Amino acid sequence: MAPTQNTICSKHVAVIGAGAAGLVTARELRREGHTVVVFDREKQVGGLWNYSFKADSDPLSLDTTRTIVHTSIYESLRTNLPRECMGFTDFPFVPRIHDISRDSRRYPSHREVLAYLQDFAREFKIEEMVRFETEVVCVEPVNGKWSVRSKNSVGFAAHEIFDAVVVCSGHFTEPNVAHIPGIKSWPGKQIHSHNYRVPGPFNNEVVVVIGNYASGADISRDIAKVAKEVHIASRASESDTYQKLPVPQNNLWVHSEIDFAHQDGSILFKNGKVVYADTIVHCTGYKYYFPFLETNGYININENRVEPLYKHVFLPALAPSLSFIGLPGMAIQFVMFEIQSKWVAAVLSGRVILPSQDKMMEDIIEWYATLDVLGIPKRHTHKLGKISCEYLNWIAEECHCSPVENWRIQEVERGFQRMVSHPEIYRDEWDDDDLMEEAYKDFARKKLISSHPSYFLES
Ligand code: FAD
């Protein structure tokens, strides 16, 4: 456990972003006694859960002059986690059964997540800290403080000084596009999942979807409802993979990765199969991108590793006044934001003390060396996978808060297994009622719900 200090100080903190990460960070900072200004370009809270039919002006998002739309949510999206394990620990994401405008399913639609984040912001009066339609354009360290330059929607520019900056700007807006040999002369259309909204435009087409993780698995099935054929190219699959997947339209296949895209419109997969495709949909993830940060070389993005960061949060040379919430890839995102932000708030107040700069650098170097030994590429530095829980509980202990509940961890694991084995039905059929019951009993015990657990479990 980290050492603590008795004198608690209050800092003036800028939070960039009012998505799930920024909202809970603002709450935790204020709880700890700091004064907070949250900046967000959008008109309302919720970040990427603010669905918009609009998308970037360049469907592949490669053009640096394109108009950018922040959200990457598509119309049919439902959560990939059961709601009870997705919500913040002291504000459970439970169904509002008697409100017909709400979606009470266990894996609700994106609209319900936005409504939940709006409820959270209202409950904790977070909006009063947010400057909407205000984009942060430059953040730089100046004489031990932080200069933050912003501009609002009518072009009014402001320059303010803060003691600390917490970056909660999200990392699902700057697409990573797959490199495909031969693609320059391939004549078809291409789009990244960031710009995918509805299947309509793919009506009667032959579509190749690259990537078979959460978005790829969902989007390929969404498009299969209207397309002639959908072929998934999966890098994670063996080179001879060729399998028909069960969908009502009988038109979905999974292959190994693409070998070559030809000028005649054909796509050759590594399994030797060839299809003539109209469109390629890249479900190939995103890049970390902080265009507003001017840290004079202290921070670097190297093959999608944001370096050097102590426990994915603090930059040793500028700690603790610059921090990042939400970088690690793991299933329980909201809880991760909550635990990381409690740590940041406690370190900024001086209640919890970080190791020395040298010790933090040693820890980082050791972490990178471990990844090298395990053969894990740099681009996966922030993907915590199986060690997610250990990571969260380590931080929780540092800042003296409760570890992640056992039922939550098990729900995530069981849900993930169902997602992999039955991607088409895992949101509507499950075998972990026992864990769900445990979750609702836990909420009741902690007085986080006013109704008896059976009210939720039987409805
Ligand atoms: P965001 O929600 O992206 O918020 C960042 C905010 O920062 C935005 O409002 C943006 O306007 C603002 N911002 C950025 N730059 C600036 C700037 N320069 N100035 C001012 N404001 C700025 N997680 C789950 O837990 N369950 C799911 O089912 C799930 N499904 C997902 C599906 C998709 C397709 C994607 C892409 C992600 C999904 N996630 C899911 C992960 C999801 O990203 C996180 O749950 C979470 O919502 C991210 O919150 P955030 O606050 O980090 O970022």
Side-chain angles (χ1 to χ4, degrees), residues 148-414:
V148 175
R149 292 178 192 275
S150 59
K151 68 172 189 324
N152 69 10
S153 55
V154 289
F156 178 77
H159 178 210
E160 291 153 277
I161 299 294
F162 290 87
D163 298 314
V165 172
V166 189
V167 178
C168 302
S169 54
H171 52 89
F172 294 103
T173 296
E174 191 66 21
N176 178 47
V177 173
H179 169 69
I180 307 168
I183 195 70
K184 280 215 169 95
S185 49
W186 184 74
K189 294 172 285 177
Q190 295 184 71
I191 177 173
H192 189 277
S193 58
H194 168 60
N195 298 310
Y196 175 79
R197 297 293 183 265
V198 289
F202 305 90
N203 194 24
N204 215 25
E205 285 193 353
V206 175
V207 179
V208 169
V209 173
I210 306 181
N212 196 17
Y213 192 55
S215 295
D218 264 3
I219 290 175
S220 55
R221 284 170 177 78
D222 209 22
I223 294 177
K225 290 175 198 152
V226 302
K228 193 150 103 195
E229 292 172 14
V230 179
H231 298 267
I232 301 172
S234 164
R235 185 161 68 171
S237 301
E238 299 288 317
S239 60
D240 59 349
T241 302
Y242 178 62
Q243 189 192 349
K244 195 160 202 175
L245 298 178
V247 289
Q249 300 75 14
N250 210 21
N251 61 351
L252 179 62
W253 290 263
V254 64
H255 302 252
S256 47
E257 66 184 309
I258 295 176
D259 190 45
F260 207 88
H262 292 274
Q263 210 172 354
D264 64 358
S266 65
I267 305 267
L268 169 66
F269 294 91
K270 290 222 158 127
N271 60 10
K273 302 283 174 196
V274 173
V275 300
Y276 286 82
D278 299 291
T279 305
I280 294 176
V281 184
H282 295 248
C283 297
T284 40
Y286 294 87
K287 296 193 260 196
Y288 295 103
Y289 186 55
F290 309 105
F292 48 83
L293 270 187
E294 288 288 341
T295 56
N296 310 328
Y298 284 118
I299 195 158
N300 190 19
I301 300 180
N302 182 1
E303 293 175 35
N304 219 26
R305 168 190 282 175
V306 186
E307 63 182 24
L309 285 186
Y310 178 60
K311 306 292 181 196
H312 312 271
V313 174
F314 291 106
L315 188 62
L318 299 171
S321 64
L322 178 68
S323 55
F324 295 80
I325 301 295
L327 260 49
M330 68 170 74
I332 33 177
Q333 291 274 295
F334 288 16
V335 171
M336 172 182 72
F337 303 156
E338 184 179 337
I339 294 178
Q340 288 181 326
S341 62
K342 281 182 198 293
W343 190 32
V344 169
V347 169
L348 284 175
S349 71
R351 192 165 57 79
V352 170
I353 298 169
L354 288 176
S356 68
Q357 186 177 329
D358 286 349
K359 284 263 178 275
M360 287 193 274
M361 279 310 298
E362 269 173 36
D363 184 274
I364 295 167
I365 290 163
E366 203 178 303
W367 167 240
Y368 293 166
T370 307
L371 296 178
D372 281 348
V373 169
L374 295 172
I376 297 175
K378 278 200 180 73
R379 66 175 190 277
H380 291 162
T381 298
H382 304 293
K383 284 195 179 152
L384 299 191
K386 288 201 170 84
I387 63 160
S388 301
C389 189
E390 188 188 314
Y391 168 81
L392 292 177
N393 286 343
W394 183 89
I395 299 184
E397 192 176 342
E398 284 295 285
C399 55
H400 319 285
C401 64
S402 308
V404 184
E405 307 90 328
N406 204 27
W407 59 260
R408 200 184 295 265
I409 299 162
Q410 287 188 49
E411 274 200 2
V412 169
E413 278 170 14
R414 300 254 289 264

Side-chain angles (χ1 to χ4, degrees), residues 16-22 39-42 46-49 70 72-74 77-81 86 134-136 168-172 215 286 292 325 331 333-334 337:
I16 305 171
F39 296 87
D40 202 295
R41 294 191 280 239
E42 304 287 325
L48 69 73
W49 297 99
H70 185 80
S72 300
I73 296 294
Y74 34 94
L77 187 134
R78 290 171 65 188
T79 65
N80 51 28
L81 280 184
M86 184 169 158
T134 307
E135 177 175 9
V136 170
C168 302
S169 54
H171 52 89
F172 294 103
S215 295
Y286 294 87
F292 48 83
I325 301 295
Q333 291 274 295
F334 288 16
F337 303 156

